[in-house]
Amino acid sequence: TMRQARIFIFLMMATCAGVCIYALSQLSSGVRLSAPFEGRGGEPNTFSGYLLLMMPLIISCFLFARTMAERWLFFGLGAIAMVSFVYTMSRGGWLAFFPMLMAFIVFNKRYRHYFILAFVAFIIALPHIMPQRMVERIEDAMTPDKEYEFLGRRYAFSESTAARIDSWKYGFNAWTRKPLLGYGISSGGITDNQYTRVLVETGMLGFLAFIWLLVRIFSAGWRTFMVSGEDPFVRAVGLSFLTGFFALLVHSLSAATFILIRVMEPFWFLLAIVVSLPGLMPAVKKTEPGV
């Protein structure tokens, strides 16, 4: 029912609030922030992927909130989620943040000019507001530990960045030896991106099936967004899913995001809600595109 959908979304955001409060409790220790129950050292990159799904939900609910009290609530939750996200020190997460903002600009006509202004202001202010730990993390990516040649020029990267580049090279090289069916599930080993892992494990046939699945996922989110009409809840959930989905596609360039349980459990649960919402809306509200 629509009431159940609202309760589930509320509980997802309440969970996000609890996880972020836990993460922020680690801030003074100087470690990269991570979620609970991840063992010693945590998994900050996984946590960043989770927040890339939850932050669009918070932002969308803020945009379509019906009262000022709700707006302040979502603003506060968005603030602690954003700080937690920054201090994951996940460069892959940071990279995916910008496509998320671009998706908000593309899909949301009503508030598009606000997002454009915010995007420009953010880019201008970023060099002046970045925490020192964030600056050092970015600079570390360019530490000349290993060199690569591309288009006649040589580029140097840190060991962690080089490891991700090597995983792409390994994936493509392994795929060329079994291009059609791949080597089987789990044969991809520890691969720091989703796409070559799918290629290695399932070959071109599996990769095409994976792309088809991604297209169908986008189609489901788009349908819900388009039939949302003037229902603020359905519009918020539809918009948040589309923007979060784009962020996860970019996050998958540096992590096997679509097999990370802590990201995929809320992702598929949210998708189930998104798929269900059009059937829960009164027929009168399905006549206006929700763009």
Side-chain angles (χ1 to χ4, degrees):
T1 65
M2 188 65 78
R3 180 174 180 273
Q4 286 176 316
R6 293 178 184 275
I7 291 173
F8 290 146
I9 293 297
F10 169 79
L11 291 175
M12 289 181 74
M13 288 195 285
T15 301
C16 180
V19 170
C20 288
I21 291 171
Y22 170 86
L24 291 175
S25 70
Q26 309 167 57
L27 193 58
S28 60
S29 65
V31 300
R32 296 174 62 189
L33 303 193
S34 62
F37 314 120
E38 292 188 340
R40 181 173 296 178
E43 298 178 14
N45 200 37
T46 299
F47 186 35
S48 74
Y50 167 74
L51 291 176
L52 285 169
L53 180 67
M54 296 306 300
M55 287 192 297
L57 183 60
I58 297 167
I59 294 170
S60 298
C61 288
F62 171 83
L63 293 177
F64 296 105
R66 288 171 293 186
T67 67
M68 188 57 66
E70 288 180 348
R71 286 187 183 272
W72 278 112
L73 177 64
F74 293 129
F75 179 82
L77 179 54
I80 64 172
M82 186 64 190
V83 174
S84 300
F85 175 72
V86 168
Y87 281 97
T88 61
M89 297 293 147
S90 169
R91 291 174 295 219
W94 296 341
L95 182 65
F97 180 78
F98 295 97
M100 183 191 80
L101 288 182
M102 293 301 297
F104 269 109
I105 293 172
V106 171
F107 295 128
N108 189 21
K109 290 182 178 179
R110 178 180 296 181
Y111 299 104
R112 178 175 295 169
H113 53 292
Y114 292 112
F115 275 99
I116 292 174
L117 290 174
F119 185 78
V120 173
F122 180 73
I123 294 297
I124 294 174
L126 188 59
H128 307 288
I129 63 175
M130 280 194 299
Q132 185 59 33
R133 286 166 60 184
M134 187 176 182
V135 174
E136 293 171 356
R137 180 71 174 160
I138 294 173
E139 291 176 345
D140 178 66
M142 304 308 293
T143 303
D145 294 325
K146 191 171 182 179
E147 287 191 347
Y148 295 89
E149 186 171 340
F150 182 71
L151 297 178
R153 300 187 62 180
R154 299 192 67 84
Y155 300 89
F157 298 100
S158 67
E159 288 185 4
S160 61
T161 306
R164 283 170 166 78
I165 296 174
D166 289 340
S167 73
W168 279 87
K169 292 174 62 178
Y170 159 78
F172 281 118
N173 291 335
W175 168 67
T176 57
R177 292 191 287 273
K178 287 192 176 182
L180 193 61
L181 297 176
Y183 294 81
I185 300 299
S186 81
S187 60
I190 302 175
T191 304
D192 287 327
N193 73 82
Q194 185 68 59
Y195 304 105
T196 60
R197 181 170 186 134
V198 173
L199 270 176
V200 171
E201 293 183 343
T202 63
M204 182 54 69
L205 289 180
F207 186 77
L208 291 176
F210 178 64
I211 296 301
W212 175 83
L213 180 62
L214 296 181
V215 172
R216 295 296 296 159
I217 290 171
F218 173 80
S219 177
W222 180 251
R223 176 175 179 267
T224 297
F225 184 50
M226 289 298 290
V227 304
S228 60
E230 296 303 316
D231 189 307
F233 174 72
V234 179
R235 293 185 73 183
V237 174
L239 177 62
S240 71
F241 183 80
L242 288 174
T243 52
F245 179 54
F246 269 84
L248 293 186
L249 290 178
V250 178
H251 190 265
S252 296
L253 295 171
S254 60
T257 307
F258 284 86
I259 62 169
L260 296 177
I261 295 174
R262 292 174 182 86
V263 181
M264 285 296 104
E265 281 183 336
F267 174 83
W268 286 106
F269 190 75
L270 181 59
L271 177 59
I273 295 174
V274 167
V275 171
S276 301
L277 284 177
L280 303 179
M281 295 176 61
V284 68
K285 291 189 177 183
K286 298 183 184 181
T287 58
E288 292 289 334
V291 183

